[in-house]
Amino acid sequence: MKTTRRTFIKQMGYVSIGFSLLGPVCLGKEGTYPNANIMEPEDPDHINAWLRVLEDGRVLILTGKMELGQGIRIAVAQVAAEELNTRLDLVDVNLAETGVTANEGYTAGSRSIESSAMSIRHAAAAAREKILKMASQKWDRPSSELILEDGMISGGDQKMSLYELLEGKQIEEDIGEPAEIFGKTKRKIVGQPVPRKDIPAMVRGELEYVQDLKFPDMVHARIIRPKSYTSKLGSLEESGLQDFPGFLKLVRLGSFVGVIAEEEYQAIKLSWEVQDRATWEAGEELPADVPLKDYLRTLPEETETEEDKGDWKNAFEKAPVKHSAAYYKPYLMHAANGPSCAVAYYNDDKLQVWTHSQGVYPLRETLANLLEIPEDAIHVKGVPGSGCYGHNGADDVAAEAALLAVEFPGRHVRLQWMRDEEHLWEPYGTAMVMELQAGLSKEGKIVGWKYDFWSDGHSSRPNGEPRTFLPARFLDRGHGVPGPGFKGGAVRNSMPYYTIDNLQTTSHIFRGPLRRSALRALGAFANVFAIESFMDELADKAGKDPVDFRIEHLDDERAITCLRKIKRNTTEVNLGEREGIGYAFARYKNSASYFAVAAHVYVNDEEIVRVKKMWGVIDSGETINPDGLKNQTEGGMIQAASWALREEVQFDKDHVTSRDWHLYPIFRFQEIPEVDVEVIDRVEEDPLGAGEAAQGPSAAAVVNAVFSATGKRVRDLPVNPVEKYLR
Amino acid sequence: MKTQITLNVNGQQHEVNVDPQTPLLYVLRNNLGLTGPKFGCGLSQCGACMVLFDGKANPSCLMPVEQASKMEITTLEGLADENGNLHKVQQAFIDEQAAQCGYCLNGLVIASVALLDENPNPTEEQIQESLYRNICRCGVHARVVRAVKKASTT
Ligand code: FES
Ligand code: FES
């Protein structure tokens, strides 16, 4: 197959979006390239794994990452255009797609710029060097006399397109180490706030989301949900269903029940009908009558010392001032604006899936195991959906659509979750409990630090194991429920970034009652919220300014610069009655972006905390697109403030009860603070992941501001629980 | 029972043969191919599905299509003029880069168009108030308010 494909590309000289082996091809609005049968991606060490020269003069960039609203398409287009010295409109981007783009795992952990964009930068720089060398040999001119610009190469009176120069072939050579990176030396496009190309399409309603895909023969499906995570289907009277308008098929696989109809609203109505007819056996009860915070501490746990430096206990005992505090963060929801959606098509033993998953290859592998279909018979194409902020229902709905498509071959099956399915069945960000103790010296320095945190695992992404999919547990095939998940997510940012000689951090990992997976920043949200709240409490005990106190415990100049700037940006703020300002800082993962933040809050007459304004300073090393970085950071600040002030997943003994936007309220427009973000661009540094940097610090800054406004310390989130609004 | 229903959408008459109880949103998206309006909640809680009904912005996800037949409907696709020139609100969203995933954008643009129609010069507070029905999970609110403000002065 490999040889055929290579020959094919050599002959045709372009790559396609389509996958015509598998029947009808989705060309959609973005799929305007000619078809070719690409079954596996090129070797990622080769230039053509990342970049293809098209006949019409454009360059197609292949990224293994997904557009999640973070603007990865414009960022990778910028780095490529810079290296190829070309106009941006000549650069197109193909998002993650099995068999086409490199396998870059998941689009997660704020790593798309660090990994994918840098691979593309190197591939494009290497391509430029190869192209110049080829032209130099062809025309027998030194490459210093040649110019590569906008897809044309010229020298003296000679000029030709890249496509002509390559004679329709692609550049298969190794990327190696390019001699010059224009992104560092010239920087004409990189570092500029280049507008995104997808926004004009969005405002016209022309951007195609996975939810908008349409195929001529497409049918619609809905799932009938059980009462709880563990309840089983009792009875289901099927007779007469076939008389309902549009009915095509009822799919029953154990306790997994879905219905397929010609039209979408018919499928919805049928799902209501089937739900009315179904009886469900009660499953295990959820611990609804104990406060969750207390309940979590009663669970069996795996305890591990994560860091142990000096003798914290001794230092703490001797300290003249001692302080301790406990914090709590509830389950939080990704709560995507658009419910999860996928289209699946099964025919001739082959499966095609269109998905907004963050990882097309891991999804493919896990689908293969779930459905017992060989991986090379599955094609998974990433199509942007609603922003996800981590691992939400995207993979689950893809698995469900695939299960249904296999039962109903020959037509495209579209499945979109309803709002209550998204709210009630997605894997949440886990609840956590955090306890801190520290001693202060006479001079107000931290002398002993002890941090204990209780958390579930943080990620149950598809990893080849079918049980990571929501439907697997209802199939009655013995797949079981997901394993302990990614513990590293819980530990993230549990080590303070401050210089403390004697410290110990200990993780306590439990299996909590609700389904959970990776939510933006993972454990770093709760860890930073706790640590930065506690730093504020310690500063108060030490009688110091909270920003100065932090700076006194830092030896990283970049961190200190962020804090100095945030202080300076907020010196003019006038605080009114019942208003306060709070600060926080963290370096995401202790190795990615630096972020300092301030929040200005007030407490209204109903004792409800509102945020007036937030300021952020972010240092992500080399900035590819400063406006994109700002946008991500502003969004992170607003989202984290919403998490901290308003959000909490609630449940009764059967299941989660936060089923819609009334029962799981998030910030609406009147609650939105003004936001102001300053970007520190460090050209000489490597770019650092940024998309999750704002989460933890923003929550802490809000809570610290509440203290500054009222003298009261909020240690349990959310600050304004739903009940407050009902009083 | 399917019925023949005439809809007036973006200045054109459309005949559709659907169950008259079908919410307008599904008819716009699936029968007329107008996928600007999005399904967000189906509960009139998030604004993703908003369209203009006789110039007023309202959700389309619960409105039975037969009721909608009496009104002039404008969707996101119908805001630009015949030459494809964008409405000033659309342009302002681009200028301010007021989007991340953009799933909420349909509702935000539609609601803002209706607002400026009624109040050509709203304060920031009035903008925030009039967008209270719209959910944005990515947190582009501050940019949206800037965009609407900008559109109001152009
Ligand atoms: S989809 Fe209509 S308001 Fe949410
Ligand atoms: S931009 Fe994603 S929901 Fe608003």
Side-chain angles (χ1 to χ4, degrees):
Chain A
M1 189 170 292
K2 202 159 181 138
T3 30
T4 343
R5 175 176 47 77
R6 280 183 181 257
T7 327
F8 184 81
I9 289 174
K10 276 188 189 139
Q11 287 162 353
M12 305 304 289
Y14 49 63
V15 71
S16 83
I17 303 295
F19 191 61
S20 57
L21 265 193
L22 300 185
V25 174
C26 166
L27 284 174
K29 285 168 189 146
E30 62 183 53
T32 46
Y33 306 101
N35 281 337
N37 302 323
I38 310 287
M39 299 300 289
E40 44 184 308
E42 299 292 336
D43 180 340
D45 289 339
H46 294 174
I47 293 170
N48 61 348
W50 305 97
L51 173 160
R52 306 284 168 87
V53 175
L54 305 181
E55 188 171 1
D56 60 9
R58 286 177 301 160
V59 170
L60 181 66
I61 298 302
L62 308 173
T63 172
K65 299 291 181 178
M66 260 299 271
E67 179 64 75
L68 311 173
Q70 83 282 41
I72 187 65
R73 272 183 292 210
I74 193 67
V76 300
Q78 278 178 268
V79 298
E82 181 85 58
E83 299 312 319
L84 296 168
N85 194 32
T86 185
R87 293 199 321 263
L88 264 165
D89 61 318
L90 295 176
V91 179
D92 273 357
V93 177
N94 194 126
L95 296 169
E97 179 173 3
T98 62
V100 176
T101 63
N103 181 352
E104 295 197 81
Y106 304 107
T107 306
S110 303
R111 300 224 352 107
S112 297
I113 297 282
E114 288 173 41
S115 55
S116 194
M118 291 305 102
S119 301
I120 288 163
R121 166 179 277 179
H122 282 95
R128 181 190 67 234
E129 288 172 6
K130 302 279 184 280
I131 288 162
L132 288 171
K133 206 164 110 197
M134 277 176 74
S136 143
Q137 277 162 5
K138 191 176 179 96
W139 295 333
D140 198 18
R141 262 177 188 280
S143 47
S144 56
E145 290 173 17
L146 303 176
I147 294 167
L148 171 65
E149 192 178 9
D150 296 339
M152 300 294 291
I153 180 129
S154 53
D157 48 8
Q158 274 154 318
K159 187 166 184 166
M160 62 167 55
S161 75
L162 286 189
Y163 189 79
E164 287 169 296
L165 177 75
L166 294 168
E167 293 168 358
K169 297 195 191 73
Q170 296 298 334
I171 313 169
E172 293 188 4
E173 274 101 327
D174 261 17
I175 295 171
E177 270 302 313
E180 186 179 353
I181 298 289
F182 282 0
K184 294 286 187 187
T185 53
K186 297 204 167 16
R187 228 171 179 246
K188 290 193 299 198
I189 302 170
V190 160
Q192 299 301 314
V194 178
R196 279 166 54 170
K197 291 197 230 170
D198 47 359
I199 297 181
M202 284 174 187
V203 302
R204 288 180 184 270
E206 285 172 1
L207 190 84
E208 193 163 59
Y209 294 81
V210 68
Q211 285 88 350
D212 302 332
L213 292 175
K214 194 171 180 182
F215 301 86
D217 61 346
M218 190 167 83
V219 296
H220 294 268
R222 287 295 183 276
I223 305 296
I224 293 83
R225 298 285 164 195
K227 285 224 153 9
S228 74
Y229 287 132
T230 47
S231 71
K232 296 223 173 302
L233 182 64
S235 62
L236 174 52
E237 179 51 55
E238 295 185 31
S239 65
L241 282 176
Q242 68 279 1
D243 300 333
F244 279 75
F247 176 87
L248 291 170
K249 183 160 186 164
L250 179 78
V251 175
R252 263 174 89 160
L253 302 166
S255 296
F256 173 77
V257 186
V259 64
I260 302 173
E262 287 287 352
E263 291 174 17
E264 189 169 15
Y265 192 58
Q266 291 170 340
I268 293 170
K269 282 190 28 182
L270 269 158
S271 73
W272 295 337
E273 173 66 25
V274 175
Q275 185 61 282
D276 277 350
R277 293 166 171 229
T279 59
W280 298 95
E281 289 167 17
E284 285 162 36
E285 289 196 357
L286 295 174
D289 1 303
V290 222
L292 186 59
K293 175 169 91 161
D294 303 333
Y295 174 78
L296 296 178
R297 295 290 302 273
T298 66
L299 290 171
E301 57 177 59
E302 238 173 77
T303 307
E304 196 171 332
T305 305
E306 302 291 341
E307 277 294 337
D308 201 2
K309 200 167 76 169
D311 184 348
W312 85 271
K313 186 101 200 163
N314 185 37
F316 178 77
E317 295 301 345
K318 285 201 202 129
V321 179
K322 297 183 181 61
H323 186 55
S324 62
Y327 305 85
Y328 169 69
K329 175 236 154 188
Y331 281 100
L332 295 176
M333 212 179 267
H334 300 78
N337 197 346
S340 297
C341 184
V343 179
Y345 176 76
Y346 183 73
N347 208 20
D348 292 337
D349 304 325
K350 295 203 168 67
L351 175 71
Q352 262 181 291
V353 177
W354 290 262
T355 172
H356 54 113
S357 165
Q358 290 179 290
V360 291
Y361 284 98
L363 173 60
R364 181 174 72 169
E365 184 196 352
T366 316
L367 283 174
N369 292 336
L370 175 77
L371 303 164
E372 296 173 2
I373 297 176
E375 263 191 77
D376 60 13
I378 304 178
H379 174 236
V380 181
K381 178 168 168 58
V383 185
S386 183
C388 61
Y389 332 105
H391 178 218
N392 67 351
D395 295 286
D396 298 323
V397 77
E400 291 172 346
L403 282 162
L404 296 173
V406 169
E407 296 294 316
F408 195 74
R411 294 182 73 176
H412 288 73
V413 178
R414 176 185 182 275
L415 171 62
Q416 180 166 21
W417 283 5
M418 302 302 281
R419 173 48 53 196
D420 58 343
E421 295 177 271
E422 189 75 27
H423 266 54
L424 299 179
W425 293 94
E426 66 143 280
Y428 308 109
T430 180
M432 286 175 69
V433 175
M434 297 75 71
E435 282 188 7
L436 280 144
Q437 302 175 67
L440 287 171
S441 71
K442 280 207 300 296
E443 298 74 35
K445 287 283 275 186
I446 301 170
V447 289
W449 175 280
K450 170 86 170 105
Y451 181 38
D452 284 90
F453 56 97
W454 285 259
S455 174
D456 204 335
H458 273 263
S459 174
S460 301
R461 292 181 184 278
N463 58 354
E465 298 175 20
R467 61 179 179 164
T468 49
F469 289 138
L470 174 64
R473 63 179 85 197
F474 299 113
L475 293 172
D476 297 344
R477 290 181 193 158
H479 289 307
V481 296
F486 173 47
K487 185 193 148 193
V491 179
R492 188 170 291 174
N493 280 89
S494 58
M495 260 294 277
Y497 201 61
Y498 300 105
T499 50
I500 301 169
D501 291 336
N502 302 291
L503 67 79
Q504 193 183 68
T505 63
T506 308
S507 62
H508 307 261
I509 306 297
F510 58 74
R511 298 299 305 278
L514 302 189
R515 185 168 188 248
R516 81 290 174 264
S517 193
L519 172 64
R520 197 174 189 178
L522 283 67
F525 174 68
N527 288 326
V528 171
F529 154 64
I531 290 172
E532 285 300 295
S533 295
F534 195 61
M535 284 299 284
D536 220 60
E537 297 193 33
L538 290 176
D540 185 56
K541 292 265 170 229
K544 299 207 176 193
D545 171 89
V547 174
D548 294 343
F549 181 72
R550 286 174 172 83
I551 290 174
E552 284 167 23
H553 289 89
L554 281 166
D555 59 7
D556 182 334
E557 276 309 319
R558 289 170 73 176
I560 293 170
T561 305
C562 289
L563 278 162
R564 291 229 160 93
K565 279 183 184 286
I566 203 74
K567 194 65 201 273
R568 207 194 48 217
N569 295 353
T570 52
T571 40
E572 308 278 287
V573 179
N574 285 319
L575 296 178
E577 218 23 46
R578 312 217 327 144
E579 294 188 3
I581 191 159
Y583 296 89
F585 163 81
R587 181 171 189 198
Y588 187 52
K589 298 181 188 171
N590 287 343
S591 61
S593 290
Y594 298 81
F595 181 67
V597 55
H600 177 181
V601 308
Y602 68 99
V603 184
N604 73 12
D605 298 339
E606 280 104 49
E607 295 298 313
I608 287 173
V609 176
R610 303 288 284 263
V611 192
K612 266 190 130 130
K613 180 159 183 181
M614 295 176 86
W615 297 258
V617 174
I618 188 153
D619 170 356
S620 302
E622 181 199 345
T623 308
I624 306 298
N625 186 321
D627 190 61
L629 178 55
K630 263 191 193 169
N631 197 351
Q632 276 288 293
T633 308
E634 292 170 11
M637 289 159 69
I638 289 172
Q639 190 179 62
S642 176
W643 289 357
L645 284 186
R646 300 222 57 173
E647 301 186 28
E648 175 176 31
V649 176
Q650 298 189 324
F651 54 87
D652 64 15
K653 68 181 182 13
D654 289 325
H655 197 61
V656 176
T657 52
S658 310
R659 57 170 51 243
D660 59 29
W661 295 116
H662 288 328
L663 293 167
Y664 189 83
I666 70 170
F667 267 7
R668 292 202 178 241
F669 267 84
Q670 311 95 303
E671 294 159 279
I672 296 303
E674 212 183 305
V675 286
D676 173 314
V677 172
E678 179 178 348
V679 169
I680 302 176
D681 186 4
R682 296 187 187 270
V683 187
E684 67 292 351
E685 302 285 347
D686 290 333
L688 299 172
E692 296 161 296
Q695 305 309 110
S698 299
V702 166
V703 164
N704 293 341
V706 174
F707 180 76
S708 140
T710 63
K712 275 200 292 230
R713 179 54 65 179
V714 180
R715 298 198 179 96
D716 293 351
L717 297 181
V719 178
N720 301 324
V722 176
E723 301 80 58
K724 260 198 188 180
Y725 293 82
L726 303 177
R727 277 204 307 244
Chain B
M1 221 20 76
K2 287 199 176 183
T3 318
Q4 195 77 9
I5 290 173
T6 310
L7 289 173
N8 181 341
V9 185
N10 298 335
Q12 275 178 10
Q13 302 281 108
H14 297 267
E15 296 286 322
V16 289
N17 189 26
V18 288
D19 170 355
Q21 288 306 308
T22 310
L24 174 65
L25 175 65
Y26 300 108
V27 178
L28 293 174
R29 290 178 52 81
N30 299 337
N31 299 61
L32 303 185
L34 297 169
T35 52
K38 299 277 184 272
F39 176 82
C41 66
L43 305 165
S44 278
Q45 292 180 354
C46 75
C49 62
M50 278 184 169
V51 300
L52 297 173
F53 294 99
D54 295 333
K56 299 258 177 288
N58 270 310
S60 64
C61 61
L62 286 178
M63 156 93 60
V65 61
E66 60 178 345
Q67 270 182 41
S69 68
K70 302 176 192 78
M71 291 174 275
E72 244 175 65
I73 298 160
T74 308
T75 70
L76 191 60
E77 290 91 340
L79 292 179
D81 70 16
E82 317 79 65
N83 304 321
N85 298 319
L86 294 177
H87 187 282
K88 61 184 180 177
V89 168
Q90 292 172 303
Q91 188 56 49
F93 271 67
I94 300 174
D95 295 344
E96 294 298 325
Q97 293 285 290
Q100 282 187 33
C101 76
Y103 202 86
C104 60
L105 231 61
N106 169 70
L108 290 171
V109 170
I110 291 286
S112 306
V113 167
L115 165 68
L116 294 190
D117 224 32
E118 210 164 84
N119 176 1
N121 217 336
T123 63
E124 283 189 18
E125 245 169 40
Q126 288 169 327
I127 296 170
Q128 287 185 295
E129 264 163 38
S130 73
L131 297 177
Y132 77 99
R133 290 181 298 174
N134 296 79
I135 290 272
C136 171
R137 189 50 161 167
C138 297
V140 300
H141 311 72
R143 286 170 179 246
V144 169
V145 173
R146 275 207 300 274
V148 179
K149 193 81 201 149
K150 175 161 189 185
S152 73
T153 55
T154 46

